[in-house]
Amino acid sequence: MRSLIDILELSTEEIDQLMATAADIIANPKKYCEVAKGKKLATLFFEPSTRTRLSFEAAMYELGGNVLGFSEAQSSSASKGESVADTAKTVSCYADIIAMRHPKEGAPYVASLNASIPVINAGDGGHNHPTQTLTDLFTIQSEKGRLANMTVGFCGDLKFGRTVHSLIAALSRYVGINIVLISPTELKLPEYVRRDILVKNRIPYKETNNLESVMPELDVLYMTRVQKERFFSEEEYLRLKDSYILTEDKLTAAKSDLCIMHPLPRVNEISVSIDKDPRACYFKQVLYGNICVWL
Ligand code: CP
C-alpha cells in the first residue's frame, strides 16, 4: 500500500481499475467484507467533515476493519502544539493507515513523509481532495457511461474549491474533455491549476461569469459552495456567497441528460426544489463516495 496525496499519483490505468473494483464491490459486497479484517484506519480530521470522515469509517467497517481517530483538532494534541510530523509518527504506532483532513495545504504530504504507514489526503485546505475525485469520476462514469468526450462546467468558488482542482486534474487525462469555468473574477481557478493542468495538457477551456449563457453546452455541471472558512474578510464572503444559485428556471436551457453534481455540503448554491429533478446527482454522489473510499 502507498500514500495518496494527489490524484495524479494514480495512473489512468489505476483509476480505471479502481472504477472497475468499485463496480464489483456494488455487485458483490460479500466478497469484500473481510478484506481489512484485523486492520485499523486512523481518521485524523483537523477540520470539519460529514461525508469524507463517515464514508471512510463506514467503508472500513464494511471491509471488516476497525477505526480510531478524532474529528476535530481541539480533541487532539495539536491543540497543545504538537506538529503534524509528530502526530503522524505517533499514529503510525497505533494504526495501519491514516486518512487526514487538514486546513493547511500540504499537511497530509508532510504526514506522509513522517509516517511509517500510508497516508490518504482527505482534503488539504484549498488545495486537493483526491478521494472526492474518485467519487466524482465514479459518479460521472455511472451516470454518463463514460469519462471522455464531454463538456464539464465548474461553477462557484473555483479558487478555494479543492474538489474542483483535483477533478480538473483527473479529467485532463481523458480525451475530448472541454472545461467551462464559471465564477466571479475574485473566485477564478488558481493560475497554477490553469497553467499546469489545462494549458500544459492542451485542454480546451473557457472562463465566464454567466452560468445561463453556457448551460446548453454542458454534459456535467459541478456546483460548489463558496468556502467561507478560507476567506480573510467576512465582508468579502458575504458579497460573494450567493454569486450562483441554481434554480429550476436556470435549467430550462440545460440538456435533458445533464448530470448536476456538488461535492456537498450545500449552502445556497442549489435550490432544494432541484433535488427531485432526475438530473440531480449530488446525493447519488454521496452514495458512490462510500464505495470509492473502500478502495
Ligand atoms: N465532500 C466533502 O468533502 O464533504 P465533507 O466536508 O462533509 O467531508
Side-chain angles (χ1 to χ4, degrees):
M1 280 214 289
R2 66 188 210 244
S3 293
L4 177 62
I5 304 300
D6 185 313
I7 191 68
L8 293 179
E9 291 163 6
L10 295 172
S11 68
T12 312
E13 292 70 31
E14 285 174 315
I15 289 177
D16 292 345
Q17 182 58 52
L18 289 171
M19 299 294 107
T21 305
D24 193 47
I25 289 172
I26 290 173
N28 306 293
K30 284 198 180 135
K31 199 168 123 186
Y32 296 87
C33 70
E34 292 202 339
V35 298
K37 196 173 175 183
K39 300 290 182 192
K40 284 173 281 184
L41 163 73
T43 50
L44 311 185
F45 277 60
F46 295 86
E47 195 178 63
S49 167
T50 295
R51 277 144 294 273
T52 311
R53 185 172 65 82
L54 296 186
S55 61
F56 267 107
E57 295 187 357
M60 197 59 181
Y61 288 124
E62 284 160 12
L63 293 171
N66 292 294
V67 177
L68 65 164
F70 50 82
S71 58
E72 54 180 343
Q74 271 313 105
S75 63
S76 79
S77 285
S79 64
K80 296 182 255 178
E82 185 165 59
S83 68
V84 166
D86 284 359
T87 301
K89 284 178 193 163
T90 301
V91 175
S92 299
C93 302
Y94 309 136
D96 300 287
I97 188 165
I98 292 170
M100 177 184 282
R101 169 166 293 187
H102 203 286
K104 284 196 179 147
E105 289 82 358
Y109 175 62
V110 171
S112 74
L113 296 179
N114 289 278
S116 56
I117 57 177
V119 176
I120 300 173
N121 179 3
D124 63 326
H127 190 213
N128 280 324
H129 195 337
T131 62
Q132 179 68 45
T133 298
L134 292 174
T135 297
D136 295 343
L137 292 174
F138 191 69
T139 303
I140 296 170
Q141 173 71 53
S142 300
E143 297 299 314
K144 306 299 292 179
R146 64 189 192 279
L147 288 171
N149 301 313
M150 68 179 80
T151 299
V152 182
F154 291 88
C155 179
D157 185 350
L158 311 188
K159 178 180 180 183
F160 297 119
R162 56 194 173 199
T163 66
V164 171
H165 309 157
S166 293
L167 183 55
I168 287 177
L171 287 173
S172 73
R173 296 258 190 76
Y174 294 89
V175 297
I177 294 291
N178 289 286
I179 301 286
V180 182
L181 303 167
I182 309 140
S183 75
T185 306
E186 296 88 339
L187 298 177
K188 280 172 73 167
L189 192 74
E191 177 58 18
Y192 79 90
V193 183
R194 198 188 65 80
R195 183 191 61 229
D196 297 346
I197 303 293
L198 295 175
V199 174
K200 190 173 165 194
N201 295 298
R202 299 195 177 133
I203 307 298
Y205 75 95
K206 66 179 173 188
E207 297 183 288
T208 178
N209 59 13
N210 188 328
L211 174 58
E212 280 108 311
S213 71
V214 294
M215 189 68 88
E217 303 167 33
L218 306 179
D219 299 298
V220 173
L221 171 58
Y222 194 98
M223 296 296 295
T224 61
R225 171 180 70 93
V226 175
Q227 305 262 307
K228 182 181 183 185
E229 61 274 35
R230 315 267 176 243
F231 278 72
F232 290 111
S233 151
E234 170 93 6
E235 192 188 346
E236 178 87 334
Y237 167 71
L238 292 173
R239 189 170 64 77
L240 293 169
K241 74 182 176 69
D242 290 328
S243 296
Y244 301 96
I245 301 176
L246 188 63
T247 50
E248 286 166 271
D249 56 308
K250 291 193 180 120
L251 282 174
T252 47
K255 289 184 180 174
S256 59
D257 63 347
L258 174 70
C259 175
I260 305 168
M261 298 174 65
H262 191 312
L264 304 180
R266 159 178 60 185
V267 183
N268 266 340
E269 317 74 58
I270 303 179
S271 165
V272 173
S273 65
I274 290 177
D275 295 0
K276 59 184 182 312
D277 189 305
R279 293 170 289 188
C281 295
Y282 31 92
F283 286 109
K284 278 192 211 170
Q285 213 175 329
V286 176
L287 190 62
Y288 292 138
N290 187 36
I291 302 299
C292 285
V293 295
W294 285 32
L295 302 168

mmCIF file with all atom_site columns, all heavy atoms in Angstrom, residues 11-22 141 147 174:
data_model
loop_
_atom_site.group_PDB
_atom_site.id
_atom_site.type_symbol
_atom_site.label_atom_id
_atom_site.label_alt_id
_atom_site.label_comp_id
_atom_site.label_asym_id
_atom_site.label_entity_id
_atom_site.label_seq_id
_atom_site.pdbx_PDB_ins_code
_atom_site.Cartn_x
_atom_site.Cartn_y
_atom_site.Cartn_z
_atom_site.occupancy
_atom_site.B_iso_or_equiv
_atom_site.pdbx_formal_charge
_atom_site.auth_seq_id
_atom_site.auth_comp_id
_atom_site.auth_asym_id
_atom_site.auth_atom_id
_atom_site.pdbx_PDB_model_num
ATOM 1   N N   . SER A 1 11  ? -2.134  6.426  -11.950 1.00 0.00 ? 11  SER A N   1
ATOM 2   C CA  . SER A 1 11  ? -2.155  6.450  -13.419 1.00 0.00 ? 11  SER A CA  1
ATOM 3   C C   . SER A 1 11  ? -3.603  6.292  -13.900 1.00 0.00 ? 11  SER A C   1
ATOM 4   O O   . SER A 1 11  ? -4.482  5.877  -13.126 1.00 0.00 ? 11  SER A O   1
ATOM 5   C CB  . SER A 1 11  ? -1.294  5.306  -13.962 1.00 0.00 ? 11  SER A CB  1
ATOM 6   O OG  . SER A 1 11  ? -1.922  4.072  -13.650 1.00 0.00 ? 11  SER A OG  1
ATOM 7   N N   . THR A 1 12  ? -3.816  6.605  -15.168 1.00 0.00 ? 12  THR A N   1
ATOM 8   C CA  . THR A 1 12  ? -5.166  6.427  -15.729 1.00 0.00 ? 12  THR A CA  1
ATOM 9   C C   . THR A 1 12  ? -5.590  4.966  -15.617 1.00 0.00 ? 12  THR A C   1
ATOM 10  O O   . THR A 1 12  ? -6.749  4.670  -15.318 1.00 0.00 ? 12  THR A O   1
ATOM 11  C CB  . THR A 1 12  ? -5.175  6.860  -17.216 1.00 0.00 ? 12  THR A CB  1
ATOM 12  O OG1 . THR A 1 12  ? -4.541  8.133  -17.288 1.00 0.00 ? 12  THR A OG1 1
ATOM 13  C CG2 . THR A 1 12  ? -6.580  6.971  -17.757 1.00 0.00 ? 12  THR A CG2 1
ATOM 14  N N   . GLU A 1 13  ? -4.639  4.057  -15.836 1.00 0.00 ? 13  GLU A N   1
ATOM 15  C CA  . GLU A 1 13  ? -4.956  2.628  -15.749 1.00 0.00 ? 13  GLU A CA  1
ATOM 16  C C   . GLU A 1 13  ? -5.367  2.258  -14.321 1.00 0.00 ? 13  GLU A C   1
ATOM 17  O O   . GLU A 1 13  ? -6.303  1.486  -14.113 1.00 0.00 ? 13  GLU A O   1
ATOM 18  C CB  . GLU A 1 13  ? -3.738  1.776  -16.168 1.00 0.00 ? 13  GLU A CB  1
ATOM 19  C CG  . GLU A 1 13  ? -3.366  1.869  -17.641 1.00 0.00 ? 13  GLU A CG  1
ATOM 20  C CD  . GLU A 1 13  ? -2.773  3.230  -18.037 1.00 0.00 ? 13  GLU A CD  1
ATOM 21  O OE1 . GLU A 1 13  ? -2.119  3.889  -17.194 1.00 0.00 ? 13  GLU A OE1 1
ATOM 22  O OE2 . GLU A 1 13  ? -2.996  3.637  -19.193 1.00 0.00 ? 13  GLU A OE2 1
ATOM 23  N N   . GLU A 1 14  ? -4.658  2.824  -13.344 1.00 0.00 ? 14  GLU A N   1
ATOM 24  C CA  . GLU A 1 14  ? -5.017  2.533  -11.939 1.00 0.00 ? 14  GLU A CA  1
ATOM 25  C C   . GLU A 1 14  ? -6.405  3.094  -11.608 1.00 0.00 ? 14  GLU A C   1
ATOM 26  O O   . GLU A 1 14  ? -7.195  2.446  -10.908 1.00 0.00 ? 14  GLU A O   1
ATOM 27  C CB  . GLU A 1 14  ? -3.967  3.125  -10.987 1.00 0.00 ? 14  GLU A CB  1
ATOM 28  C CG  . GLU A 1 14  ? -2.668  2.327  -10.976 1.00 0.00 ? 14  GLU A CG  1
ATOM 29  C CD  . GLU A 1 14  ? -1.576  3.000  -10.148 1.00 0.00 ? 14  GLU A CD  1
ATOM 30  O OE1 . GLU A 1 14  ? -1.380  4.232  -10.270 1.00 0.00 ? 14  GLU A OE1 1
ATOM 31  O OE2 . GLU A 1 14  ? -0.911  2.276  -9.396  1.00 0.00 ? 14  GLU A OE2 1
ATOM 32  N N   . ILE A 1 15  ? -6.701  4.289  -12.115 1.00 0.00 ? 15  ILE A N   1
ATOM 33  C CA  . ILE A 1 15  ? -8.038  4.867  -11.860 1.00 0.00 ? 15  ILE A CA  1
ATOM 34  C C   . ILE A 1 15  ? -9.104  3.993  -12.515 1.00 0.00 ? 15  ILE A C   1
ATOM 35  O O   . ILE A 1 15  ? -10.129 3.667  -11.895 1.00 0.00 ? 15  ILE A O   1
ATOM 36  C CB  . ILE A 1 15  ? -8.106  6.333  -12.351 1.00 0.00 ? 15  ILE A CB  1
ATOM 37  C CG1 . ILE A 1 15  ? -7.270  7.221  -11.421 1.00 0.00 ? 15  ILE A CG1 1
ATOM 38  C CG2 . ILE A 1 15  ? -9.545  6.822  -12.396 1.00 0.00 ? 15  ILE A CG2 1
ATOM 39  C CD1 . ILE A 1 15  ? -7.179  8.675  -11.815 1.00 0.00 ? 15  ILE A CD1 1
ATOM 40  N N   . ASP A 1 16  ? -8.866  3.573  -13.743 1.00 0.00 ? 16  ASP A N   1
ATOM 41  C CA  . ASP A 1 16  ? -9.844  2.711  -14.422 1.00 0.00 ? 16  ASP A CA  1
ATOM 42  C C   . ASP A 1 16  ? -10.037 1.409  -13.648 1.00 0.00 ? 16  ASP A C   1
ATOM 43  O O   . ASP A 1 16  ? -11.158 0.905  -13.519 1.00 0.00 ? 16  ASP A O   1
ATOM 44  C CB  . ASP A 1 16  ? -9.401  2.428  -15.863 1.00 0.00 ? 16  ASP A CB  1
ATOM 45  C CG  . ASP A 1 16  ? -9.464  3.682  -16.736 1.00 0.00 ? 16  ASP A CG  1
ATOM 46  O OD1 . ASP A 1 16  ? -10.102 4.669  -16.309 1.00 0.00 ? 16  ASP A OD1 1
ATOM 47  O OD2 . ASP A 1 16  ? -8.863  3.676  -17.832 1.00 0.00 ? 16  ASP A OD2 1
ATOM 48  N N   . GLN A 1 17  ? -8.930  0.854  -13.123 1.00 0.00 ? 17  GLN A N   1
ATOM 49  C CA  . GLN A 1 17  ? -9.015  -0.380 -12.331 1.00 0.00 ? 17  GLN A CA  1
ATOM 50  C C   . GLN A 1 17  ? -9.821  -0.139 -11.050 1.00 0.00 ? 17  GLN A C   1
ATOM 51  O O   . GLN A 1 17  ? -10.649 -0.975 -10.652 1.00 0.00 ? 17  GLN A O   1
ATOM 52  C CB  . GLN A 1 17  ? -7.596  -0.869 -11.992 1.00 0.00 ? 17  GLN A CB  1
ATOM 53  C CG  . GLN A 1 17  ? -7.528  -2.167 -11.201 1.00 0.00 ? 17  GLN A CG  1
ATOM 54  C CD  . GLN A 1 17  ? -8.219  -3.320 -11.913 1.00 0.00 ? 17  GLN A CD  1
ATOM 55  O OE1 . GLN A 1 17  ? -7.935  -3.593 -13.081 1.00 0.00 ? 17  GLN A OE1 1
ATOM 56  N NE2 . GLN A 1 17  ? -9.150  -3.981 -11.235 1.00 0.00 ? 17  GLN A NE2 1
ATOM 57  N N   . LEU A 1 18  ? -9.606  1.026  -10.417 1.00 0.00 ? 18  LEU A N   1
ATOM 58  C CA  . LEU A 1 18  ? -10.369 1.354  -9.205  1.00 0.00 ? 18  LEU A CA  1
ATOM 59  C C   . LEU A 1 18  ? -11.857 1.493  -9.518  1.00 0.00 ? 18  LEU A C   1
ATOM 60  O O   . LEU A 1 18  ? -12.716 1.047  -8.741  1.00 0.00 ? 18  LEU A O   1
ATOM 61  C CB  . LEU A 1 18  ? -9.838  2.654  -8.584  1.00 0.00 ? 18  LEU A CB  1
ATOM 62  C CG  . LEU A 1 18  ? -8.456  2.557  -7.914  1.00 0.00 ? 18  LEU A CG  1
ATOM 63  C CD1 . LEU A 1 18  ? -7.945  3.940  -7.531  1.00 0.00 ? 18  LEU A CD1 1
ATOM 64  C CD2 . LEU A 1 18  ? -8.516  1.673  -6.673  1.00 0.00 ? 18  LEU A CD2 1
ATOM 65  N N   . MET A 1 19  ? -12.170 2.093  -10.680 1.00 0.00 ? 19  MET A N   1
ATOM 66  C CA  . MET A 1 19  ? -13.586 2.220  -11.081 1.00 0.00 ? 19  MET A CA  1
ATOM 67  C C   . MET A 1 19  ? -14.214 0.833  -11.265 1.00 0.00 ? 19  MET A C   1
ATOM 68  O O   . MET A 1 19  ? -15.350 0.586  -10.858 1.00 0.00 ? 19  MET A O   1
ATOM 69  C CB  . MET A 1 19  ? -13.726 3.009  -12.394 1.00 0.00 ? 19  MET A CB  1
ATOM 70  C CG  . MET A 1 19  ? -13.208 4.444  -12.357 1.00 0.00 ? 19  MET A CG  1
ATOM 71  S SD  . MET A 1 19  ? -14.121 5.548  -11.279 1.00 0.00 ? 19  MET A SD  1
ATOM 72  C CE  . MET A 1 19  ? -12.966 5.731  -9.935  1.00 0.00 ? 19  MET A CE  1
ATOM 73  N N   . ALA A 1 20  ? -13.425 -0.072 -11.859 1.00 0.00 ? 20  ALA A N   1
ATOM 74  C CA  . ALA A 1 20  ? -13.930 -1.444 -12.082 1.00 0.00 ? 20  ALA A CA  1
ATOM 75  C C   . ALA A 1 20  ? -14.128 -2.155 -10.738 1.00 0.00 ? 20  ALA A C   1
ATOM 76  O O   . ALA A 1 20  ? -15.123 -2.867 -10.533 1.00 0.00 ? 20  ALA A O   1
ATOM 77  C CB  . ALA A 1 20  ? -12.953 -2.216 -12.966 1.00 0.00 ? 20  ALA A CB  1
ATOM 78  N N   . THR A 1 21  ? -13.187 -1.934 -9.800  1.00 0.00 ? 21  THR A N   1
ATOM 79  C CA  . THR A 1 21  ? -13.316 -2.565 -8.477  1.00 0.00 ? 21  THR A CA  1
ATOM 80  C C   . THR A 1 21  ? -14.531 -2.004 -7.737  1.00 0.00 ? 21  THR A C   1
ATOM 81  O O   . THR A 1 21  ? -15.260 -2.752 -7.071  1.00 0.00 ? 21  THR A O   1
ATOM 82  C CB  . THR A 1 21  ? -12.029 -2.355 -7.649  1.00 0.00 ? 21  THR A CB  1
ATOM 83  O OG1 . THR A 1 21  ? -10.925 -2.843 -8.397  1.00 0.00 ? 21  THR A OG1 1
ATOM 84  C CG2 . THR A 1 21  ? -12.095 -3.087 -6.317  1.00 0.00 ? 21  THR A CG2 1
ATOM 85  N N   . ALA A 1 22  ? -14.758 -0.688 -7.866  1.00 0.00 ? 22  ALA A N   1
ATOM 86  C CA  . ALA A 1 22  ? -15.932 -0.077 -7.217  1.00 0.00 ? 22  ALA A CA  1
ATOM 87  C C   . ALA A 1 22  ? -17.215 -0.721 -7.739  1.00 0.00 ? 22  ALA A C   1
ATOM 88  O O   . ALA A 1 22  ? -18.125 -1.047 -6.961  1.00 0.00 ? 22  ALA A O   1
ATOM 89  C CB  . ALA A 1 22  ? -15.947 1.432  -7.474  1.00 0.00 ? 22  ALA A CB  1
ATOM 90  N N   . GLN A 1 141 ? -18.864 8.368  -14.494 1.00 0.00 ? 141 GLN A N   1
ATOM 91  C CA  . GLN A 1 141 ? -18.845 7.103  -15.244 1.00 0.00 ? 141 GLN A CA  1
ATOM 92  C C   . GLN A 1 141 ? -20.203 6.397  -15.130 1.00 0.00 ? 141 GLN A C   1
ATOM 93  O O   . GLN A 1 141 ? -20.751 5.908  -16.119 1.00 0.00 ? 141 GLN A O   1
ATOM 94  C CB  . GLN A 1 141 ? -17.722 6.214  -14.692 1.00 0.00 ? 141 GLN A CB  1
ATOM 95  C CG  . GLN A 1 141 ? -17.661 4.807  -15.241 1.00 0.00 ? 141 GLN A CG  1
ATOM 96  C CD  . GLN A 1 141 ? -17.196 4.753  -16.679 1.00 0.00 ? 141 GLN A CD  1
ATOM 97  O OE1 . GLN A 1 141 ? -16.154 5.296  -17.027 1.00 0.00 ? 141 GLN A OE1 1
ATOM 98  N NE2 . GLN A 1 141 ? -17.984 4.123  -17.521 1.00 0.00 ? 141 GLN A NE2 1
ATOM 99  N N   . LEU A 1 147 ? -16.011 8.602  -19.315 1.00 0.00 ? 147 LEU A N   1
ATOM 100 C CA  . LEU A 1 147 ? -15.254 9.690  -18.687 1.00 0.00 ? 147 LEU A CA  1
ATOM 101 C C   . LEU A 1 147 ? -14.627 10.590 -19.753 1.00 0.00 ? 147 LEU A C   1
ATOM 102 O O   . LEU A 1 147 ? -13.921 11.529 -19.417 1.00 0.00 ? 147 LEU A O   1
ATOM 103 C CB  . LEU A 1 147 ? -14.159 9.122  -17.773 1.00 0.00 ? 147 LEU A CB  1
ATOM 104 C CG  . LEU A 1 147 ? -14.655 8.474  -16.466 1.00 0.00 ? 147 LEU A CG  1
ATOM 105 C CD1 . LEU A 1 147 ? -13.521 7.746  -15.752 1.00 0.00 ? 147 LEU A CD1 1
ATOM 106 C CD2 . LEU A 1 147 ? -15.294 9.508  -15.553 1.00 0.00 ? 147 LEU A CD2 1
ATOM 107 N N   . TYR A 1 174 ? -8.326  12.425 -19.875 1.00 0.00 ? 174 TYR A N   1
ATOM 108 C CA  . TYR A 1 174 ? -9.263  11.741 -20.777 1.00 0.00 ? 174 TYR A CA  1
ATOM 109 C C   . TYR A 1 174 ? -9.448  12.552 -22.067 1.00 0.00 ? 174 TYR A C   1
ATOM 110 O O   . TYR A 1 174 ? -9.379  13.783 -22.043 1.00 0.00 ? 174 TYR A O   1
ATOM 111 C CB  . TYR A 1 174 ? -10.608 11.515 -20.064 1.00 0.00 ? 174 TYR A CB  1
ATOM 112 C CG  . TYR A 1 174 ? -10.455 10.544 -18.910 1.00 0.00 ? 174 TYR A CG  1
ATOM 113 C CD1 . TYR A 1 174 ? -10.118 10.991 -17.631 1.00 0.00 ? 174 TYR A CD1 1
ATOM 114 C CD2 . TYR A 1 174 ? -10.590 9.170  -19.099 1.00 0.00 ? 174 TYR A CD2 1
ATOM 115 C CE1 . TYR A 1 174 ? -9.934  10.103 -16.578 1.00 0.00 ? 174 TYR A CE1 1
ATOM 116 C CE2 . TYR A 1 174 ? -10.408 8.270  -18.051 1.00 0.00 ? 174 TYR A CE2 1
ATOM 117 C CZ  . TYR A 1 174 ? -10.075 8.743  -16.798 1.00 0.00 ? 174 TYR A CZ  1
ATOM 118 O OH  . TYR A 1 174 ? -9.886  7.851  -15.767 1.00 0.00 ? 174 TYR A OH  1
#
